[in-house]
Amino acid sequence: MPLGPPSSAIHLQSVSNGGTANSSRTVQTVTIHPVALFSILDHYLRRTDAQERVIGTLLGTRTETEIEVRNCFAVLHSETSEQVAVDMEYHRTMYELHQKVNPKEVIVGWYSTGSDLNTYSALIHNFYTHDTAPHPTVHVAMNTGVQGDEKPGVKAYLSSPVGVFAKPENCVFIPVPCELRFNDAERSGLDLLTSSLESTSLTTSSPRSDLEVLERSIKTVMEMLDRVLAYVRAVLAGEREGDPAIGRYLMDTLGTSTEGLEKSGFASSLQDTLMISYLANLVRAQAEVSARLQLVPSV
Amino acid sequence: MATSMAAALAASLPAPQSAPTPAAPIYEAIPASMSKVIDIEAEIPVTNIQLDGLVVTKIMKHSRDAQPGVALGLLLGIDMDGTLEISNSFPMPHVNEDEEKSTKSLARYQASMLRSLKEVQADDSVVGFYQSTTLGAFYNQALVDLQTIHQEKLRHGGIVIVHDVPQAARGNASFRAFRLTKEYLEAHKKGKFNTQSLMEHRLTFSTIIEEVPLKIRSNPLLGAFLQTLTAPGESRVPAALPPSFSNLDLTPVGLTRNLERILEAVDDYKTEEGNLAYLSRQIARERARADAHVAKRKEENVQRVAQGLAPLPEDDVTRLFKIPPEPSRMESMLLLGQIDAYAKSLAETSSTGLVKMYAANAGASV
């Protein structure tokens, strides 16, 4: 799933290994896990007044054609009009600490907030190249959408040297497609967070029981059905022009076979489920009784 | 994968020894300037917990990475007017067998991490810890011990946040906050969990731990960012975060494993009960022998007095007979708690299963 506004960049893959040194294939996609994104946002919130942007190290795994950013940590740096400084010692310490918990995650690149790419970006990129060599370094620029009227979004870049003589401050940032990736478990966490968006308050209460979550999902499905019904009726009445693509999707979706749910299958499965439910409640009752019996004084 | 609960418990036993040392530096790590502010506020008891969106994702990531093991990490934040705001967290590395070394390295790791976080203006006061669990069964000795230490050391006692991994995979990310009850702490202070003590404090598995209401908060920046992710793009570009309906999936997930876990827990409980019964029989036997000895000596003395001889001294019975101390019932209580938790999660799965079945059936019959 793409992150951020669509760009007009065409992602060309060079056949020869001209661009990025030593790697047999070029990186084609960068995927980012939500935890890394949220960490960057949190870091941005906690910046000092003097800082225009914040930078940090991206940790993750890489395959031949894909870089998966799974985690990140903040790094101290300072930028003035004359110089840029990155706290290398801090970077090392944090990397070692992260390695203790998750040794599989290695440095894959760096992030910064804001979407400007300048000389300092090139210098910092050059610094990170030493850490990731011989693999390419990825630079993730996150636009937090706070400044100006820019849209929030995330872009990923690889670098390529430019000029007759390779200098650290000279490089071309080549855009790479960047996607958000999450697994089932992370998905439910995101759902939890997005559900707080609908209400006006910033907080949602948890825990929710499975039944509550199910109820919400069913309600959403019913709303969607209502919407579809309203649309279909409008098309039938000639108030709206029907979109053939939508019609096709609707036919595929609603035509899904439910043959597996014929009566006998339903009945036996119902019995099984009820059985398990009884069993679970019986076990709970027994456990409770047993715990309370321990408190009865033996005369 | 299917580690029996007993094995898990045995494996988790080294943790209590390793825990005190890392807990200590946290407490002293609170800077002097802050401790004043904190002391003023410490009079207001924590009534609810507020969990930041960042921490939600961090815990979920760590819990998933750590599977099938247990993920353990520390929560950082601050308490304000009865609300404990948890704004950050970091994972703790997995503890090795080598206790002595790992305790030290853990403490070093923690101190170093806290210092580093402070440098980037993140919160650095530990307010509790989080732990991942499977199927709701979070009762175990290690958790209770660690929380006991925290509750003594940290301000407000700290809290533990439990995250259920399989439940999250089913589409319901559950985070629950707990702390130990006063009754348990009183019993713990006395250091014994025999029948008498349990009765005095009215302790059952459900009264060891109390739940604290928990809220999830996403800060405005995060909220805005999520909003753009969920918004559908222009010209049929799907949103980066489309709505999901994975929890409408009809196939029951992990029912078999849940049942297996219940059986295992019941087996463990039975073994533990057997041990307790054996021990109490031994106590009864020793006591009977001691009583018999005393009675016999008394009888002899009565006879000797009757014969005009000096009575024999009454021996110290406790020295002659070693009556073993009454065993702790903590273990069996926690196992009961686990059985209950597994059964509860099973009941929940089956009830949602029922609803889904009827929903699907209603859809099919149209």
Side-chain angles (χ1 to χ4, degrees):
Chain A
M1 278 145 263
L3 270 170
S7 79
S8 56
I10 304 166
H11 306 292
L12 291 176
Q13 302 303 333
S14 56
V15 181
S16 66
N17 53 354
T20 45
N22 293 337
S23 69
S24 55
R25 285 197 207 170
T26 43
V27 174
Q28 283 167 7
T29 44
V30 173
T31 53
I32 302 184
H33 281 259
V35 64
L37 286 183
F38 293 179
S39 298
I40 300 174
L41 283 174
D42 188 67
H43 184 200
Y44 183 69
L45 269 186
R46 289 172 188 280
R47 73 193 188 279
T48 55
D49 287 341
Q51 280 175 301
E52 283 244 329
R53 64 173 184 178
V54 291
I55 69 158
T57 306
L58 298 173
L59 299 173
T61 51
R62 55 164 77 85
T63 59
E64 276 196 343
T65 57
E66 185 190 324
I67 290 180
E68 192 175 348
V69 178
R70 297 163 62 95
N71 206 348
C72 70
F73 59 84
V75 172
L76 290 167
H77 90 300
S78 71
E79 267 176 83
T80 58
S81 51
E82 286 102 39
Q83 59 166 357
V84 57
V86 177
D87 193 335
M88 283 176 76
E89 189 147 335
Y90 184 87
H91 166 74
R92 289 258 161 274
T93 324
M94 275 307 260
Y95 180 55
E96 274 161 27
L97 290 176
H98 274 89
Q99 279 283 303
K100 276 188 189 162
V101 179
N102 210 331
K104 273 185 215 150
E105 290 172 3
V106 292
I107 300 177
V108 292
W110 65 291
Y111 70 80
S112 77
T113 54
S115 45
D116 308 344
L117 296 169
N118 52 26
T119 319
Y120 292 157
S121 297
L123 281 172
I124 299 170
H125 199 87
N126 184 51
F127 159 67
Y128 274 99
T129 317
H130 297 304
D131 277 321
T132 58
H135 304 284
T137 312
V138 63
H139 169 48
V140 168
M142 177 192 250
N143 197 331
T144 47
V146 179
Q147 286 147 340
D149 52 354
E150 291 169 46
K151 275 194 178 173
V154 177
K155 282 180 185 141
Y157 301 96
L158 292 174
S159 83
S160 165
V162 70
V164 182
F165 305 105
K167 279 195 248 171
E169 65 266 34
N170 289 352
C171 85
V172 176
F173 283 102
I174 310 162
V176 198
C178 174
E179 286 176 3
L180 184 68
R181 167 159 313 170
F182 39 78
N183 46 49
D184 285 354
E186 281 175 329
R187 170 79 237 199
S188 59
L190 287 174
D191 285 344
L192 189 66
L193 293 178
T194 46
S195 67
S196 71
L197 296 178
E198 288 151 22
S199 58
T200 44
S201 71
L202 285 168
T203 55
T204 44
S205 60
S206 175
R208 301 174 299 171
S209 68
D210 279 358
L211 272 179
E212 277 172 62
V213 177
L214 186 64
E215 190 190 345
R216 286 169 80 114
S217 294
I218 291 178
K219 271 189 183 149
T220 334
V221 169
M222 277 160 69
E223 270 169 32
M224 284 162 87
L225 283 177
D226 284 345
R227 214 160 66 218
V228 166
L229 202 63
Y231 171 77
V232 170
R233 283 202 178 126
V235 170
L236 284 180
E239 289 161 25
R240 279 177 77 165
E241 200 185 327
D243 187 334
I246 292 180
R248 189 80 217 175
Y249 277 127
L250 282 179
M251 208 165 99
D252 286 350
T253 312
L254 297 177
T256 310
S257 156
T258 47
E259 268 170 39
L261 284 163
E262 84 279 22
K263 278 284 172 264
S264 63
F266 180 77
S268 72
S269 174
L270 181 70
Q271 276 175 358
D272 289 352
T273 317
L274 281 177
M275 179 72 199
I276 285 173
S277 174
Y278 288 143
L279 176 73
N281 286 318
L282 188 69
V283 170
R284 285 197 76 190
Q286 289 280 351
E288 191 65 41
V289 167
S290 172
R292 274 164 202 273
L293 277 182
Q294 283 187 354
L295 301 188
V296 176
S298 54
V299 183
Chain B
M1 175 61 238
T3 42
S4 75
M5 227 47 230
L9 280 172
S12 63
L13 278 179
Q17 281 96 359
S18 64
T21 336
I26 318 157
Y27 191 51
E28 286 153 14
I30 298 171
S33 58
M34 284 293 282
S35 67
K36 233 182 211 171
V37 187
I38 284 159
D39 273 338
I40 299 164
E41 296 274 346
E43 289 157 16
I44 307 166
V46 170
T47 49
N48 54 61
I49 315 282
Q50 189 177 300
L51 196 63
D52 203 87
L54 171 67
V55 186
V56 169
T57 49
K58 274 195 170 180
I59 294 178
M60 295 188 83
K61 175 186 181 286
H62 184 209
S63 305
R64 196 172 168 279
D65 286 349
Q67 270 193 325
V70 172
L72 182 86
L74 289 178
L75 301 167
L76 309 172
I78 198 166
D79 58 294
M80 291 281 281
D81 199 20
T83 305
L84 188 64
E85 292 175 11
I86 298 166
S87 63
N88 209 338
S89 71
F90 63 85
M92 293 296 278
H94 195 68
V95 188
N96 289 330
E97 299 301 311
D98 195 355
E99 265 173 46
E100 191 66 26
K101 239 185 193 171
S102 67
T103 308
K104 270 186 193 156
S105 77
L106 267 186
R108 249 204 321 276
Y109 168 83
Q110 186 174 335
S112 174
M113 189 61 125
L114 287 173
R115 209 169 41 241
S116 308
L117 285 174
K118 198 178 168 214
E119 278 186 60
V120 286
Q121 287 92 35
D123 281 340
D124 68 331
S125 61
V126 177
V127 293
F129 68 100
Y130 66 81
Q131 191 166 347
S132 69
T133 170
T134 49
L135 303 166
F138 55 87
Y139 285 94
N140 62 48
Q141 196 74 47
L143 181 131
V144 171
D145 284 343
L146 187 55
Q147 179 60 9
T148 314
I149 292 154
H150 273 199
Q151 212 138 349
E152 282 161 6
K153 291 257 164 76
L154 297 180
R155 301 166 358 82
H156 292 308
I159 44 118
V160 49
I161 287 193
V162 173
H163 171 57
D164 195 327
V165 188
Q167 203 179 2
R170 277 207 307 263
N172 180 15
S174 93
F175 291 88
R176 301 169 76 190
F178 294 97
R179 65 177 162 213
L180 298 170
T181 54
K182 279 194 197 92
E183 288 84 10
Y184 170 81
L185 287 178
E186 264 172 41
H188 179 78
K189 236 177 238 167
K190 288 179 190 155
K192 52 183 181 186
F193 291 103
N194 52 24
T195 323
Q196 193 60 39
S197 162
L198 289 189
M199 266 189 283
E200 267 172 37
H201 298 102
R202 303 185 154 274
L203 279 181
T204 64
F205 60 85
S206 47
T207 53
I208 300 177
I209 290 176
E210 61 180 347
E211 187 164 357
V212 191
L214 182 137
K215 278 182 184 284
I216 308 281
R217 176 184 191 273
S218 47
N219 59 50
L221 187 62
L222 182 62
F225 200 83
L226 276 174
Q227 197 82 268
T228 52
L229 288 187
T230 45
E234 300 120 27
S235 64
R236 288 225 192 105
V237 179
L241 201 61
S244 81
F245 296 97
S246 59
N247 53 343
L248 289 178
D249 201 348
L250 274 178
T251 41
V253 193
L255 264 187
T256 343
R257 208 173 60 155
N258 202 335
L259 278 170
E260 274 168 14
R261 287 293 175 87
I262 288 188
L263 283 180
E264 271 167 21
V266 170
D267 276 350
D268 287 343
Y269 178 67
K270 194 136 184 298
T271 320
E272 183 61 27
E273 280 293 275
N275 286 346
L276 284 181
Y278 174 75
L279 280 175
S280 52
R281 269 204 305 279
Q282 212 165 13
I283 292 169
R285 201 163 54 230
E286 286 294 315
R287 200 165 273 156
R289 274 174 65 191
D291 286 349
H293 180 82
V294 171
K296 199 174 156 204
R297 181 54 59 87
K298 266 189 188 151
E299 215 169 275
E300 260 178 38
N301 279 351
V302 170
Q303 278 182 2
R304 282 173 79 101
V305 169
Q307 288 166 6
L309 292 165
L312 289 169
E314 301 237 335
D315 293 323
D316 189 5
V317 190
T318 46
R319 208 178 301 160
L320 273 176
F321 298 97
K322 277 221 172 80
I323 299 176
E326 207 185 328
S328 162
R329 292 193 170 265
M330 200 59 205
E331 183 88 31
S332 76
M333 198 158 72
L334 289 172
L335 280 171
L336 266 185
Q338 285 202 351
I339 296 176
D340 183 68
Y342 281 136
K344 196 177 170 192
S345 104
L346 188 65
E348 209 160 80
T349 321
S350 58
S351 67
T352 48
L354 269 184
V355 173
K356 275 189 262 187
M357 277 172 63
Y358 274 108
N361 202 35
S365 60
V366 169

